[in-house]
Amino acid sequence: MSDTDDTDSADVGGRALDDRAATPRPTGHAGRRLAASTALVRRIMGVTTSEVPVPRRGAVRERIREMFAVLYAIGFTSGDPADDDTSLRSPRITARVGALLGLCVAICLATGMISHWIQHPPSWFWFPSDPPWLYRFSQGLHVITGTAAIPLLLVKLQLVYPRLFARPVIGSPLRAVERLSIAVLVSSMIFQLFTGLMNTAQFYPWRFFFTTTHYAMSFVVVAALMVHIAVKLPIIQAAFRSPLESDRGHRQRAPRSDCAMTTPPPIDPERDAVVDDHGTDDPPAVPRDPPPSVYARFVDPSTQGAPGAVTRRAILRGAVAAAGLAVLAFAGQTVPFLKWISFLAPRSGDGPQGVPINRTAAAAGVTMAAQSREYTFTVTAGGRMKVLTLDQLREMPQHDSDLPIACVEGWSAQATWRGVRVRDLVELVGGDLDRDVRFVSLERGLYAVSVLPANFVRNPSSLVALELHGETLTVDHGYPCRLITPNRPGVLQTKWLARMEVL
């Protein structure tokens, strides 16, 4: 009897590597690795057989596959791609949940980078001032995908956690590197998602500065994720090539009548012996009918589809549903028609004058200065300077801008602002509209100064605002005047303006 599915080949990246040597060799998992490595060495050395033809096309692709075959053969990957392929924790379900999680992480990373570069722009960075809702969309998507990633990560960890404690815990140096990369990936993703969630609620139970730490840790997540994907690529490829619910090449177990934990049946050497092509009898590494557990009717493929049985497809749908529920719970902060069902959103979109407030005048320490009768607003360009009182600002041509204000915490609100165009103030002192403009607040601190790029300066929607929704600004909204422009995070929409400098 020949059992080539289990003893003679190792499926590496979907391609069988067979070694038909006539000499006895190790059996089981070690034998499969030896067979794979031996066949690979023969191919590299040019000693080929008819069973393993040398490919003449796609040489680069073949070399890449051979590289992963080497990693598999020397034990860098943690197991055969077909291992545990009959259970609910099959690589087929973990790969699909991982793909959804990876998509959320990729979108969250890209939108997070945009937000960080707007706040701390590199010399090469440029962001458009139109359409005015672009930053609102980007930052809302950042928070939504980050929120959706939380239940997906929990499902993924539940599916793979037994393998995290597989023996040997460390093993060879290469295995140690693999496990270290997994530890870094899991811990960094948990850190990113937890701190991001706390940021949406403006709750900071730590001493480090959130923005720079969150930005730096994103690179750790990316690096660890790339290493993890590279190591697991053969398993991922094999998992996606196989249907979610089928059990390719595995023996179907007999149906069981209950889920009770029982003692495993004795192994009959004659019945369970496996005879390979060389006539060697070896007892199987795992009994053909392993002991049922309390999860038997959920794990056993013969019961898939039975009433009450959990399937991989049900787990995948449940993960998607949990992610969708998380999105609905938070998305109302930035998607107006969802605000009434966003039961976990820290910001409802309401507040004084219809707009939420992150930082009050009292917290900024500017209440007295902002309401002083001696208040003036200074505009400078080169050696020219113009000092304006609040009444003089009101006497200048006033314009309306219907713009959203969006914050890095993920909330946004649409509002109608009224005030003096930034470009008019630049022209008032003979400034160049192709130059950036610096705005300085009465406040002192990290966000007391912001620089407005020239393309925003020229945009007619950019205002030094005096009114909100037809009313004079409240002191918490930036009275006597504040900056409001399209496509800028709220922390850069400087309140309690004192100076404006054309650079």
Side-chain angles (χ1 to χ4, degrees), residues 242-328:
S242 304
L244 182 60
E245 294 293 356
S246 67
D247 297 286
R248 59 182 179 200
H250 285 264
R251 304 177 182 88
Q252 296 293 320
R253 304 185 185 107
R256 299 184 177 96
S257 59
D258 56 58
C259 303
M261 187 174 291
T262 62
T263 303
I267 299 176
D268 184 346
E270 296 183 359
R271 175 177 63 87
D272 291 323
V274 177
V275 181
D276 67 9
D277 288 348
H278 314 296
T280 303
D281 293 353
D282 298 299
V286 179
R288 296 193 182 191
D289 195 4
S293 67
V294 292
Y295 303 104
R297 71 191 178 104
F298 299 148
V299 177
D300 193 338
S302 64
T303 64
Q304 297 297 302
V310 175
T311 64
R312 298 171 195 154
R313 184 167 284 107
I315 293 176
L316 184 60
R317 289 172 177 169
V320 173
L325 181 62
V327 168
L328 291 177

Side-chain angles (χ1 to χ4, degrees), residues 164-180:
L164 301 179
F165 304 98
R167 302 291 179 176
V169 175
I170 298 178
S172 67
L174 289 176
R175 179 173 171 81
V177 171
E178 177 198 4
R179 297 185 74 79
L180 178 61

